[in-house]
Tab-separated table of all heavy atoms in Angstrom:
chain	number	residue	atom	x	y	z
A	1	ASP	N	-64.589	63.427	119.977
A	1	ASP	CA	-65.225	64.691	119.752
A	1	ASP	C	-64.192	65.802	119.707
A	1	ASP	O	-63.396	65.949	120.647
A	1	ASP	CB	-66.280	64.983	120.817
A	1	ASP	CG	-66.993	66.285	120.621
A	1	ASP	OD1	-67.639	66.474	119.559
A	1	ASP	OD2	-66.918	67.147	121.498
A	2	GLY	N	-64.158	66.600	118.650
A	2	GLY	CA	-63.203	67.671	118.516
A	2	GLY	C	-61.985	67.344	117.716
A	2	GLY	O	-61.248	68.256	117.301
A	3	ASP	N	-61.799	66.049	117.387
A	3	ASP	CA	-60.654	65.674	116.505
A	3	ASP	C	-60.904	66.154	115.104
A	3	ASP	O	-62.049	66.319	114.640
A	3	ASP	CB	-60.461	64.179	116.511
A	3	ASP	CG	-59.779	63.646	117.787
A	3	ASP	OD1	-59.377	64.460	118.618
A	3	ASP	OD2	-59.718	62.405	117.934
A	4	THR	N	-59.839	66.297	114.348
A	4	THR	CA	-59.919	66.587	112.915
A	4	THR	C	-59.121	65.497	112.199
A	4	THR	O	-57.930	65.339	112.439
A	4	THR	CB	-59.333	67.953	112.564
A	4	THR	OG1	-60.086	68.948	113.232
A	4	THR	CG2	-59.403	68.232	111.065
A	5	VAL	N	-59.784	64.764	111.291
A	5	VAL	CA	-59.066	63.698	110.545
A	5	VAL	C	-58.712	64.302	109.184
A	5	VAL	O	-59.501	64.992	108.573
A	5	VAL	CB	-59.871	62.421	110.455
A	5	VAL	CG1	-60.117	61.825	111.793
A	5	VAL	CG2	-61.215	62.636	109.721
A	6	ILE	N	-57.509	63.910	108.737
A	6	ILE	CA	-57.041	64.335	107.404
A	6	ILE	C	-57.158	63.175	106.485
A	6	ILE	O	-56.666	62.076	106.769
A	6	ILE	CB	-55.572	64.836	107.489
A	6	ILE	CG1	-55.372	65.797	108.667
A	6	ILE	CG2	-55.211	65.510	106.137
A	6	ILE	CD1	-56.285	67.033	108.677
A	7	VAL	N	-57.812	63.395	105.372
A	7	VAL	CA	-58.148	62.321	104.404
A	7	VAL	C	-57.437	62.591	103.088
A	7	VAL	O	-57.470	63.748	102.580
A	7	VAL	CB	-59.683	62.266	104.153
A	7	VAL	CG1	-60.012	61.060	103.257
A	7	VAL	CG2	-60.402	62.127	105.497
A	8	SER	N	-56.769	61.579	102.544
A	8	SER	CA	-56.037	61.707	101.278
A	8	SER	C	-56.639	60.770	100.215
A	8	SER	O	-56.504	59.543	100.298
A	8	SER	CB	-54.577	61.356	101.481
A	8	SER	OG	-53.914	61.313	100.236
A	9	PRO	N	-57.343	61.326	99.226
A	9	PRO	CA	-57.830	60.443	98.133
A	9	PRO	C	-56.733	59.763	97.360
A	9	PRO	O	-56.986	58.729	96.724
A	9	PRO	CB	-58.607	61.451	97.210
A	9	PRO	CG	-58.943	62.590	98.123
A	9	PRO	CD	-57.773	62.701	99.099
A	10	ALA	N	-55.512	60.301	97.362
A	10	ALA	CA	-54.422	59.704	96.586
A	10	ALA	C	-53.682	58.614	97.329
A	10	ALA	O	-52.937	57.821	96.730
A	10	ALA	CB	-53.421	60.770	96.160
A	11	ALA	N	-53.882	58.517	98.633
A	11	ALA	CA	-53.065	57.580	99.445
A	11	ALA	C	-53.604	56.140	99.197
A	11	ALA	O	-54.785	55.899	99.135
A	11	ALA	CB	-53.177	57.908	100.912
A	12	PRO	N	-52.696	55.150	99.043
A	12	PRO	CA	-53.134	53.752	98.904
A	12	PRO	C	-53.865	53.281	100.153
A	12	PRO	O	-53.436	53.630	101.275
A	12	PRO	CB	-51.836	53.015	98.690
A	12	PRO	CG	-50.751	53.871	99.252
A	12	PRO	CD	-51.208	55.282	99.062
A	13	VAL	N	-54.889	52.502	100.012
A	13	VAL	CA	-55.676	51.968	101.106
A	13	VAL	C	-55.281	50.522	101.377
A	13	VAL	O	-55.274	49.724	100.489
A	13	VAL	CB	-57.177	52.102	100.803
A	13	VAL	CG1	-58.006	51.507	101.951
A	13	VAL	CG2	-57.575	53.557	100.588
A	14	ARG	N	-55.040	50.239	102.601
A	14	ARG	CA	-54.625	48.881	103.007
A	14	ARG	C	-55.455	48.413	104.180
A	14	ARG	O	-55.978	49.221	104.934
A	14	ARG	CB	-53.137	48.874	103.440
A	14	ARG	CG	-52.149	49.361	102.335
A	14	ARG	CD	-50.876	49.854	102.940
A	14	ARG	NE	-51.059	50.968	103.837
A	14	ARG	CZ	-50.113	51.769	104.237
A	14	ARG	NH1	-48.873	51.537	103.878
A	14	ARG	NH2	-50.351	52.793	105.074
A	15	PRO	N	-55.608	47.072	104.384
A	15	PRO	CA	-56.321	46.612	105.520
A	15	PRO	C	-55.726	47.152	106.787
A	15	PRO	O	-54.545	47.259	107.014
A	15	PRO	CB	-56.114	45.076	105.425
A	15	PRO	CG	-55.955	44.820	103.982
A	15	PRO	CD	-55.173	45.982	103.457
A	16	GLY	N	-56.634	47.562	107.689
A	16	GLY	CA	-56.222	48.198	108.941
A	16	GLY	C	-56.364	49.712	108.892
A	16	GLY	O	-56.422	50.380	109.954
A	17	ASP	N	-56.458	50.333	107.685
A	17	ASP	CA	-56.587	51.748	107.596
A	17	ASP	C	-57.988	52.241	107.935
A	17	ASP	O	-58.990	51.575	107.640
A	17	ASP	CB	-56.264	52.199	106.150
A	17	ASP	CG	-54.773	52.107	105.806
A	17	ASP	OD1	-53.950	52.126	106.735
A	17	ASP	OD2	-54.474	52.047	104.626
A	18	GLY	N	-58.041	53.432	108.509
A	18	GLY	CA	-59.278	54.144	108.629
A	18	GLY	C	-59.628	54.748	107.248
A	18	GLY	O	-58.739	55.207	106.556
A	19	VAL	N	-60.903	54.652	106.866
A	19	VAL	CA	-61.270	55.097	105.508
A	19	VAL	C	-62.628	55.881	105.560
A	19	VAL	O	-63.395	55.722	106.467
A	19	VAL	CB	-61.422	53.898	104.561
A	19	VAL	CG1	-60.096	53.253	104.267
A	19	VAL	CG2	-62.471	52.912	105.071
A	20	VAL	N	-62.745	56.740	104.558
A	20	VAL	CA	-64.029	57.376	104.242
A	20	VAL	C	-64.552	56.760	102.976
A	20	VAL	O	-63.790	56.649	101.972
A	20	VAL	CB	-63.856	58.901	104.085
A	20	VAL	CG1	-65.180	59.521	103.761
A	20	VAL	CG2	-63.276	59.498	105.406
A	21	VAL	N	-65.790	56.292	102.990
A	21	VAL	CA	-66.336	55.556	101.847
A	21	VAL	C	-67.620	56.240	101.412
A	21	VAL	O	-68.453	56.615	102.205
A	21	VAL	CB	-66.660	54.097	102.274
A	21	VAL	CG1	-67.345	53.368	101.125
A	21	VAL	CG2	-65.412	53.358	102.721
A	22	LYS	N	-67.743	56.421	100.094
A	22	LYS	CA	-68.970	56.896	99.496
A	22	LYS	C	-69.604	55.750	98.723
A	22	LYS	O	-68.967	55.227	97.807
A	22	LYS	CB	-68.701	58.077	98.559
A	22	LYS	CG	-69.958	58.736	98.008
A	22	LYS	CD	-70.555	59.693	98.989
A	22	LYS	CE	-71.594	60.585	98.326
A	22	LYS	NZ	-72.110	61.570	99.273
A	23	THR	N	-70.840	55.411	99.073
A	23	THR	CA	-71.500	54.290	98.361
A	23	THR	C	-72.237	54.818	97.143
A	23	THR	O	-72.480	56.048	96.971
A	23	THR	CB	-72.501	53.603	99.296
A	23	THR	OG1	-73.524	54.457	99.647
A	23	THR	CG2	-71.797	53.116	100.536
A	24	ARG	N	-72.607	53.904	96.275
A	24	ARG	CA	-73.336	54.323	95.054
A	24	ARG	C	-74.664	54.936	95.366
A	24	ARG	O	-75.183	55.736	94.552
A	24	ARG	CB	-73.547	53.064	94.165
A	24	ARG	CG	-72.243	52.516	93.573
A	24	ARG	CD	-71.680	53.378	92.486
A	24	ARG	NE	-70.437	52.858	91.979
A	24	ARG	CZ	-69.625	53.548	91.149
A	24	ARG	NH1	-69.951	54.756	90.779
A	24	ARG	NH2	-68.515	52.979	90.731
A	25	ASP	N	-75.260	54.614	96.499
A	25	ASP	CA	-76.591	55.142	96.860
A	25	ASP	C	-76.461	56.446	97.629
A	25	ASP	O	-77.421	56.996	98.188
A	25	ASP	CB	-77.425	54.165	97.647
A	25	ASP	CG	-76.784	53.739	98.918
A	25	ASP	OD1	-75.814	54.288	99.307
A	25	ASP	OD2	-77.341	52.794	99.538
A	26	GLY	N	-75.206	56.983	97.766
A	26	GLY	CA	-75.011	58.322	98.320
A	26	GLY	C	-74.669	58.341	99.790
A	26	GLY	O	-74.455	59.447	100.367
A	27	GLU	N	-74.508	57.199	100.447
A	27	GLU	CA	-74.196	57.192	101.910
A	27	GLU	C	-72.711	57.399	102.083
A	27	GLU	O	-71.864	56.887	101.387
A	27	GLU	CB	-74.603	55.854	102.481
A	27	GLU	CG	-74.472	55.788	104.010
A	27	GLU	CD	-74.986	54.487	104.574
A	27	GLU	OE1	-75.271	53.553	103.806
A	27	GLU	OE2	-75.098	54.397	105.822
A	28	LEU	N	-72.384	58.250	103.060
A	28	LEU	CA	-70.959	58.500	103.442
A	28	LEU	C	-70.669	57.789	104.730
A	28	LEU	O	-71.321	57.970	105.745
A	28	LEU	CB	-70.730	60.018	103.589
A	28	LEU	CG	-69.230	60.398	103.758
A	28	LEU	CD1	-68.501	60.261	102.416
A	28	LEU	CD2	-69.110	61.816	104.294
A	29	LEU	N	-69.647	56.907	104.696
A	29	LEU	CA	-69.322	56.051	105.863
A	29	LEU	C	-67.915	56.352	106.286
A	29	LEU	O	-67.006	56.601	105.457
A	29	LEU	CB	-69.393	54.555	105.483
A	29	LEU	CG	-70.740	54.050	104.886
A	29	LEU	CD1	-70.583	52.620	104.414
A	29	LEU	CD2	-71.853	54.178	105.935
A	30	THR	N	-67.651	56.292	107.601
A	30	THR	CA	-66.295	56.311	108.168
A	30	THR	C	-66.116	54.981	108.875
A	30	THR	O	-66.831	54.629	109.785
A	30	THR	CB	-66.094	57.484	109.108
A	30	THR	OG1	-67.121	57.450	110.122
A	30	THR	CG2	-66.124	58.795	108.362
A	31	ARG	N	-65.137	54.206	108.412
A	31	ARG	CA	-64.932	52.841	108.883
A	31	ARG	C	-63.455	52.540	108.924
A	31	ARG	O	-62.640	53.277	108.501
A	31	ARG	CB	-65.642	51.833	107.971
A	31	ARG	CG	-67.191	51.930	107.976
A	31	ARG	CD	-67.780	51.406	109.280
A	31	ARG	NE	-69.216	51.228	109.175
A	31	ARG	CZ	-70.125	52.202	109.367
A	31	ARG	NH1	-69.693	53.432	109.532
A	31	ARG	NH2	-71.402	51.926	109.314
A	32	ARG	N	-63.152	51.314	109.341
A	32	ARG	CA	-61.801	50.742	109.263
A	32	ARG	C	-61.864	49.574	108.322
A	32	ARG	O	-62.728	48.667	108.475
A	32	ARG	CB	-61.285	50.280	110.639
A	32	ARG	CG	-59.857	49.813	110.639
A	32	ARG	CD	-59.332	49.685	112.038
A	32	ARG	NE	-60.079	48.801	112.884
A	32	ARG	CZ	-59.921	47.480	112.940
A	32	ARG	NH1	-58.946	46.898	112.244
A	32	ARG	NH2	-60.630	46.693	113.701
A	33	LEU	N	-60.967	49.547	107.325
A	33	LEU	CA	-60.982	48.470	106.323
A	33	LEU	C	-60.370	47.223	106.992
A	33	LEU	O	-59.187	47.234	107.350
A	33	LEU	CB	-60.185	48.887	105.090
A	33	LEU	CG	-60.048	47.765	104.027
A	33	LEU	CD1	-61.392	47.336	103.480
A	33	LEU	CD2	-59.136	48.253	102.885
A	34	LEU	N	-61.144	46.183	107.115
A	34	LEU	CA	-60.681	44.936	107.663
A	34	LEU	C	-60.061	44.040	106.574
A	34	LEU	O	-58.974	43.505	106.738
A	34	LEU	CB	-61.806	44.165	108.334
A	34	LEU	CG	-62.255	44.640	109.730
A	34	LEU	CD1	-63.343	43.684	110.262
A	34	LEU	CD2	-61.107	44.679	110.687
A	35	ARG	N	-60.806	43.946	105.449
A	35	ARG	CA	-60.380	42.939	104.414
A	35	ARG	C	-60.959	43.343	103.099
A	35	ARG	O	-62.108	43.829	102.999
A	35	ARG	CB	-60.924	41.575	104.829
A	35	ARG	CG	-60.443	40.412	103.964
A	35	ARG	CD	-60.729	39.067	104.675
A	35	ARG	NE	-60.465	37.964	103.795
A	35	ARG	CZ	-61.384	37.121	103.353
A	35	ARG	NH1	-62.652	37.240	103.640
A	35	ARG	NH2	-61.014	36.118	102.557
A	36	ASP	N	-60.100	43.145	102.074
A	36	ASP	CA	-60.510	43.348	100.659
A	36	ASP	C	-60.408	42.004	99.979
A	36	ASP	O	-59.319	41.439	99.771
A	36	ASP	CB	-59.610	44.354	100.005
A	36	ASP	CG	-59.893	44.582	98.493
A	36	ASP	OD1	-60.862	43.930	98.007
A	36	ASP	OD2	-59.143	45.344	97.872
A	37	THR	N	-61.564	41.416	99.646
A	37	THR	CA	-61.554	40.112	99.021
A	37	THR	C	-61.464	40.179	97.492
A	37	THR	O	-61.368	39.119	96.803
A	37	THR	CB	-62.811	39.326	99.393
A	37	THR	OG1	-63.969	39.928	98.764
A	37	THR	CG2	-63.038	39.315	100.901
């Protein structure tokens, strides 16, 4: 609580990174990418 995260749309995303995700149905998620199959 109180932290500010800086998000870069241009930065490459790799497993282990924290990410912000927008789904096609409009949901905004903050997660950690485990695996890209």
